[in-house]
């Protein structure tokens, strides 16, 4: 067979091994332990990592002096068929010195979340009053919302609300909280159905808005879930309101969450000896075993079991401290540990199941395929749960996933993490085949960064820290849209944005809103600052006068190891306040009819 006999552009990510000024060349060792010889030319140029909202940080003038051994960088260039070396045209340095990583600066992720929230705020509301009647699910690459498609999807509004509430938690900017509260109110008034007979709440898939007319869409109209009530839509309907509840203590949000959880436990929960949560309900009978569900009849999957924790349940426990939520978390994580591993057959977990937990390997597009990010999401959230209720099986599974994933799910030449791959190697194969493409999605990078950050922060593993840094470097180098704002949906394997058509050319869609990117900013800041770099952080809250019935504000940023952080000081409306418990991370709210703004300074122990 003929080999390609033409120039090929590509990306290398790795550590400098040497620089030779005479030949103007340097060595670069990639994650798979291959060393490439790279050459520079008079037109080679360089920059530092550039955060959203920052000016271009040119480093061309100091390019050669920065090529010191041990330094991590990205080199974009060309392989020529008549030249053994890689012709490096562009260099991206991840920090100003060889031991510096720009995204470990204390404000890097906070500045990024402010920029992201501002992008979506401007896209949806511009300079006008915040009014969700004019919200659109579809937002273009440059931040222009669709005036053609009038569908407002519940989950995408909820995810955007999450982003605004998160931005307020980190920045204290009141406009973001106002956007979160108004979005929560809009969801409650337009997307919520209160079933008085059953005493439950469930959420519409969305509504179509044309002027003053509104048509509610009850069952899902997304292809995988058509004409059913999928668990994940109900789960993500709570994401934004619950994050807002952490800030405000709004009792109406708590009631909605309680009644939606009742929906989960009354109708999605398998009350037989098998246990777990079904993935879909019939929209009329609320029966998960109805024949009308077809391929979704009596099924369980990653979303229905595992997504409760990151989407809303951990945040609900953080805000309330209620044991019932801790028990539900434990139940879901115990189910994951018991049923999802399948290491005798594949390095990837199993994600889809029949009622009795036997493996469903014929469902829709998934078949016997793995979503790389779901594996990492399990590792990340197991480590969170282990800090709430330590169990050796939680850490064991998290570490096993973390050790296995780089070789089978990451790009060890270019950096970054892949999307969907075949779970099984067939005879003669040494690499798991891509299902659709070798592109890299923004949300799967989030899962890798958070998984390895929390592992590094809790267990102090040097390999985990290295993998976290490499993943964060790839995301910040290639996913940030420096020109228009926001983050790209997908990039090619070589890091360049993929902007061909459809969802991947947008910043808002059925699949993308303000959730994953802002969740990444929030938790990357928490894990990096408080666990790894031992740097203090400020958090902001604005409880309603009737919020938090016990008048206790719980301010733990996430489920962190016991005793790892404490409250150092508190301000209320700019004045020092001392009625707080530093180790239990709680503040006794003052008795006042007025709404107060609280700034909490949390420090590592």
């Amino acid at each position: 067979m003929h080999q390609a006999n033409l120039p090929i552009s590509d990306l290398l990510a790795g550590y400098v091994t040497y620089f030779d000024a005479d030949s103007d060349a340097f060595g670069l060792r990639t994650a798979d332990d291959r060393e490439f010889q790279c050459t520079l030319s008079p037109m080679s140029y360089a920059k530092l990592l550039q955060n959203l909202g920052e000016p271009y940080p040119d480093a061309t003038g100091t390019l050669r002096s920065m090529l010191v051994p041990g330094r991590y960088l990205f080199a974009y260039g060309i392989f020529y068929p008549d030249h053994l070396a890689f012709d490096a045209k562009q260099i991206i340095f991840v920090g100003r010195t060889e031991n510096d990583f720009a995204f470990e600066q204390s404000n890097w992720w906070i500045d990024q979340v402010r920029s992201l929230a501002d992008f979506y705020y401007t896209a949806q509301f511009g300079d006008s009053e915040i009014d969700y009647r004019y919200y659109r699910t579809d937002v273009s690459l440059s931040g222009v919302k669709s005036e053609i498609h009038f569908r407002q999807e519940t989950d995408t509004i909820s995810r955007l609300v999450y982003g605004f509430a998160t931005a307020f938690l980190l920045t204290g900017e009141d406009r973001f909280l106002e956007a979160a509260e108004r979005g929560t109110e809009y969801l409650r008034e337009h997307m919520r159905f209160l079933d008085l007979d059953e005493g439950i709440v469930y959420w519409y898939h969305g509504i179509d808005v044309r002027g003053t007319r509104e048509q509610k869409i009850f069952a899902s109209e997304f292809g995988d879930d058509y004409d059913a009530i999928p668990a994940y839509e109900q789960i993500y309907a709570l994401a934004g309101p619950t994050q807002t509840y952490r800030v405000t203590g709004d009792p109406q949000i708590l009631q909605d969450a309680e009644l939606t959880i009742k929906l989960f436990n009354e109708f999605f929960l398998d009350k037989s000896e098998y246990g777990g949560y079904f993935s879909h309900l019939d929209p009329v009978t609320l029966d998960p075993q109805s024949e009308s569900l077809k391929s979704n009849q009596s099924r369980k999957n990653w979303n229905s079991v595992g997504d409760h924790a990151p989407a809303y349940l951990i945040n609900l426990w953080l805000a309330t401290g209620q044991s019932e939520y801790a028990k539900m978390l434990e139940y879901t994580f115990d189910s994951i540990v018991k049923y999802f591993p399948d290491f005798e057959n594949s390095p990837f977990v199993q994600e889809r199941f029949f009622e009795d937990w036997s493996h469903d390997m014929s469902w829709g597009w998934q078949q016997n395929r793995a979503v790389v990010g779901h594996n990492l999401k399990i590792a990340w959230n197991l480590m969170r749960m282990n800090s709430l209720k330590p169990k050796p099986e939680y850490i064991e599974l998290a570490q096993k996933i973390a050790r296995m994933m780089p070789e089978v799910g990451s790009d060890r030449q270019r950096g970054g993490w892949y999307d969907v791959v075949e779970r099984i190697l067939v005879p003669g194969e040494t690499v798991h085949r891509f299902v659709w493409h070798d592109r890299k999605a923004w949300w799967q990078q989030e899962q890798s960064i958070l998984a390895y950050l929390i592992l590094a922060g809790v267990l102090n593993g040097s390999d985990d820290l290295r993998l976290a840094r490499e993943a964060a470097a790839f995301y910040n180098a290639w996913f940030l849209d420096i020109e228009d704002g926001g983050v790209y949906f997908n990039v090619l394997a070589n890091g360049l944005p993929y902007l061909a058509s459809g969802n991947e050319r947008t910043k808002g869609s059925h699949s993308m809103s303000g959730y994953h990117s802002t969740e990444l900013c929030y938790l990357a800041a928490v894990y990096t600052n408080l666990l790894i770099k031992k740097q203090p952080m400020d958090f902001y809250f604005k409880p309603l006068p009737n919020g938090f019935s016990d008048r206790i504000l719980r301010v733990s940023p996430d489920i962190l190891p016991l005793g790892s952080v404490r409250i150092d000081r508190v301000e209320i409306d700019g004045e020092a306040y001392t009625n707080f418990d530093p180790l239990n991370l709680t503040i006794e709210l003052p008795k006042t009819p007025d709404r107060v703004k609280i700034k909490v300074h949390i420090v590592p122990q």
Side-chain angles (χ1 to χ4, degrees), residues 502-518:
N503 286 350
E504 294 168 313
R505 194 175 173 78
T506 65
K507 303 278 176 59
S509 64
H510 169 81
S511 302
M512 188 183 211
S513 189
Y515 175 66
H516 287 293
S517 55
T518 54

Side-chain angles (χ1 to χ4, degrees), residues 368-383:
N368 193 18
R369 294 161 179 162
V371 180
V372 173
H374 288 169
N375 290 262
L376 296 163
K377 199 171 187 179
I378 288 172
W380 157 42
N381 284 283
L382 280 168
M383 292 305 298

